[in-house]
Amino acid sequence: MSRIVVMISGRGSNLHAILLAASQEHWGHAVVGVIADREDAPGIRVGAQAGIEVAVVPRRDYAEVADFERDLSRQLERFEADVVVLAGFMRILGDQLVTHYSGRLLNIHPSLLPAFPGLHTHRRALEAGVLVHGATVHLVTPALDHGPILAQSVVPVRSGDTPETLAARVLETEHRILPRAVSWLADGRIHLPTHPGVGHVEIDGVSARERLLILDH
Ligand code: GRF
């Protein structure tokens, strides 16, 4: 059984999706803690209502990012985290923390990486005129939004889409691919590429097709 900690900054709908999956009997892993970097994150209630301990480490209480990261690390150690999930955690973690949890730290990003790393992905996708958009679950490496890809969802862009309507359809897929990828990592089924950097990840018992979700509406 792996001990999973979910880090959030906002609404917590991906946290909710993970908790729902974790409540299924066959899941076999436990979400042992939530860490929020803002005391007003609505997702804190999502964790608390599920009876999960929530540690709030407000970024704005710290003058130095190093002190903030030290306290994040302490919370992760206190929870004895095996797997750490960034689920709408809107901070870039420092290299030390990322390296410490290397291969055990994953992130959900709302675009088809490597397209549109960073912020405002839905607006940028519409501006670029792409016909497909989506979300990516990837392992976190020191290079922002560039770690090895575990799962992706593909969402068609509709004429008349706004960043909000597109975001809503992408979010629906995030809730499906993120819990799956978390369970693969928690199961210890993920084999990293032999060369450092981005490459094809092998996941025991999971085909490439099963790692791809295509939304057809
Ligand atoms: C999601 O779209 C996620 O991909 C992005 O931030 C959003 C978080 O949503 N990084 P929620 O807090 O899980 O509802």
Side-chain angles (χ1 to χ4, degrees), residues 10-15 87-90 108-110 122 171 174-175:
R11 174 177 56 185
S13 69
N14 278 292
L15 166 64
F89 187 72
M90 303 305 285
I108 176 100
H109 181 78
H122 309 301
L171 189 67
E174 292 181 34
H175 297 161

Side-chain angles (χ1 to χ4, degrees), residues 23-52:
S23 68
Q24 312 286 311
E25 238 169 66
H26 59 84
W27 224 59
H29 305 289
V31 178
V32 294
V34 172
I35 299 176
D37 68 342
R38 307 170 55 115
E39 63 269 85
D40 59 353
I44 292 172
R45 287 191 57 204
V46 175
Q49 276 170 357
I52 311 289

Side-chain angles (χ1 to χ4, degrees), residues 142-156:
L144 180 69
D145 295 334
H146 275 87
I149 290 169
L150 305 182
Q152 289 191 303
S153 61
V154 174
V155 174

Side-chain angles (χ1 to χ4, degrees), residues 36-40 55-71 91:
D37 68 342
R38 307 170 55 115
E39 63 269 85
D40 59 353
V56 183
V57 184
R59 174 64 184 91
R60 66 168 184 197
D61 287 2
Y62 296 83
E64 300 294 333
V65 72
D67 295 332
F68 169 66
E69 296 234 344
R70 180 206 57 219
D71 283 1
R91 307 260 163 216

Side-chain angles (χ1 to χ4, degrees), residues 184 203 205-212:
W184 299 331
I203 306 179
V206 185
S207 67
R209 184 60 188 84
E210 288 170 285
R211 293 162 56 184
L212 169 64

